[in-house]
């Protein structure tokens, strides 16, 4: 696996790969866990070559979020990616990504605004801007993102449709199902911040979500099921719930009735200082092709 950190070298290396066939991009901020590796494995099945980016993007961190403390185990990440057959690692530094004078931001109205966007103002502008830059830098045939960050996936798909992206085309932005620990907790770099007690409580999120989904799909009142979910989370040891909503899977518009179209139960809740997010399908599901 080749690691590059200059845009000119990246372009030459990607040109070489493109001559051999299709190129898939997996964007990450590093500190790779099994959830990331599932994206890489899915990418390997769908493209001749896989390019992974590692860039801890400062513009998606809020002023109270600790950018400096974000883990950066580059050598370990490189070993994991090489073992999975990744062809190229794009690991620019901040100056390569945002050269002095950088002044353009991508803002996706609507889907960016509620849920995590309401709690983390500016976060999705940072995500959309860096992802568009990564798409333009690598120009992949397809790009894969974890469904765990459902709102992020919705924002990136909306951006690709609105800006008529071709590399990748919106239809080639692939969502990969969330990878979970044995007790159902969605894998996340943030799980490592949990104490053993908090880690045990965190498993209650999956359980409470599955219970609420069974109730909604069984015809229960949506508001009552979501209220029960919040109560279950607090009883499991969560300190607060930022949101627990039923939303349209594509527009993220809030739903108050049992869905007839693909929908998602989306939750963000806090244990101590750690904020966990998760989402699951409710009702008829639309799946990306494997
Ligand atoms: O999901 C992430 O790791 C980041 O938000 C992304 C998509 C790599 C953009 O920095």
């Amino acid at each position: 696996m080749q690691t590059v950190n200059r845009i000119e070298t990246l372009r030459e290396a990607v040109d070489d790969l493109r001559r051999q066939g299709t190129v898939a991009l997996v964007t990450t901020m590093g500190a790779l866990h099994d959830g990331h590796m599932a994206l890489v494995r899915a990418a390997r099945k769908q493209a001749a070559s896989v390019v992974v980016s590692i860039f801890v993007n400062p513009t998606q961190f809020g002023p109270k979020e600790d950018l400096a403390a974000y883990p950066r185990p580059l050598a370990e990440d490189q070993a994991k990616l090489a073992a999975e057959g990744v062809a190229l690692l794009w690991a620019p530094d901040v100056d390569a990504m945002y050269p002095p004078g950088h002044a353009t931001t991508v803002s996706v109205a609507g889907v960016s605004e509620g849920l995590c966007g309401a709690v983390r103002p500016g976060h999705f502008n940072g995500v959309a801007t860096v992802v568009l830059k990564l798409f333009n830098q690598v120009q992949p045939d397809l790009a894969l993102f974890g469904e765990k960050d459902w709102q992020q996936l919705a924002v990136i798909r909306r951006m690709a449709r609105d800006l008529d992206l071709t590399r990748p085309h919106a239809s080639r932005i692939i969502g990969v199902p969330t990878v979970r620990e044995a007790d159902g907790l969605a894998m996340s770099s943030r799980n490592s911040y949990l104490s053993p007690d908090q880690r045990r409580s965190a498993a209650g999120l999956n359980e409470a979500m599955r219970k609420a989904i069974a109730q909604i799909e069984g015809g229960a009142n949506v508001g009552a099921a979501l209220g029960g979910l919040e109560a279950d989370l607090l009883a499991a040891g969560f300190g607060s719930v930022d949101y627990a909503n039923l939303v349209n899977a594509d527009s993220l518009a809030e739903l108050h009735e049992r869905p007839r179209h693909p929908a998602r139960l989306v939750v963000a809740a806090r244990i101590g200082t750690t904020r966990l997010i998760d989402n699951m399908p409710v009702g008829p599901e639309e799946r990306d092709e494997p």
Side-chain angles (χ1 to χ4, degrees):
M1 183 184 75
Q2 192 186 355
T3 300
V4 296
N5 44 33
R6 290 180 54 248
I7 185 84
E8 299 76 14
T9 331
L10 173 76
R11 289 201 197 286
E12 282 165 23
V14 173
D15 283 349
D16 285 347
L17 293 178
R18 210 183 306 288
R19 278 190 275 277
Q20 296 160 39
T22 50
V23 173
L25 174 65
V26 175
T27 64
T28 81
M29 298 210 299
L32 304 177
H33 52 64
D34 282 354
H36 296 110
M37 300 324 287
L39 297 179
V40 169
R41 282 180 214 119
R44 283 216 65 200
K45 284 194 192 136
Q46 297 184 50
S49 309
V50 178
V51 178
V52 172
S53 64
I54 294 184
F55 178 66
V56 181
N57 176 33
T59 66
Q60 69 188 75
F61 284 75
K64 290 192 192 136
E65 295 170 346
D66 200 351
L67 169 66
Y70 199 87
R72 291 164 170 87
L74 183 62
E76 276 172 46
D77 287 348
Q78 281 172 312
K80 287 180 188 169
L81 296 173
E84 284 296 340
V86 168
L88 182 63
L89 171 61
W90 169 224
D93 63 18
V94 175
D95 279 348
M97 186 61 81
Y98 298 113
H102 180 272
T104 304
T105 300
V106 181
S107 175
V108 184
V111 281
S112 285
E113 284 162 15
L115 307 175
C116 289
V119 187
R120 304 179 72 188
H123 169 71
F124 287 115
N125 288 357
V127 170
T129 304
V130 83
V131 169
L132 183 59
K133 284 173 70 66
L134 289 162
F135 284 173
N136 285 336
Q137 290 161 351
V138 177
Q139 303 198 6
D141 298 285
L142 64 153
L144 296 92
F145 292 86
E147 288 185 353
K148 160 138 188 310
D149 294 298
W150 189 264
Q151 189 174 13
Q152 169 170 283
L153 182 57
V155 168
I156 293 166
R157 283 182 162 147
R158 183 76 263 163
M159 170 183 79
R161 291 201 289 261
D162 290 353
L163 300 182
D164 306 309
L165 298 194
T166 51
R167 282 190 168 276
H169 185 270
S171 63
R172 304 300 285 143
I173 294 174
I174 311 289
V176 176
T178 303
V179 180
R180 297 180 181 278
E181 304 283 0
D183 62 5
L185 181 66
M187 286 198 184
S188 163
S189 334
R190 293 183 178 190
N191 296 352
S192 63
Y193 303 150
L194 299 171
S195 70
D197 270 358
Q198 291 173 333
R199 174 64 190 79
R200 272 188 289 280
S201 298
L205 176 55
N206 180 269
E207 210 174 306
M209 288 178 73
R210 285 191 292 111
K211 180 174 152 194
I213 290 170
Q215 289 171 342
I216 294 168
E217 289 182 342
N221 174 278
V222 170
L226 297 178
L229 165 55
E230 288 203 35
D232 285 349
L233 292 179
L234 299 178
F238 282 80
S240 61
V241 179
D242 283 352
Y243 59 79
N245 289 6
L246 182 68
V247 297
N248 177 292
D250 185 43
S251 69
L252 306 188
E254 207 172 329
L255 303 172
H256 300 284
E257 286 176 8
R258 186 179 170 186
R260 266 172 275 125
H261 301 290
R264 288 262 152 181
L265 175 62
V266 289
V267 179
R270 294 173 194 257
I271 296 196
T273 53
T274 307
R275 183 170 178 275
L276 299 179
I277 59 169
D278 203 346
N279 70 87
M280 291 180 194
V282 185
E285 195 181 359
E286 267 171 18
R287 272 257 149 263
D288 290 319
E289 286 162 30

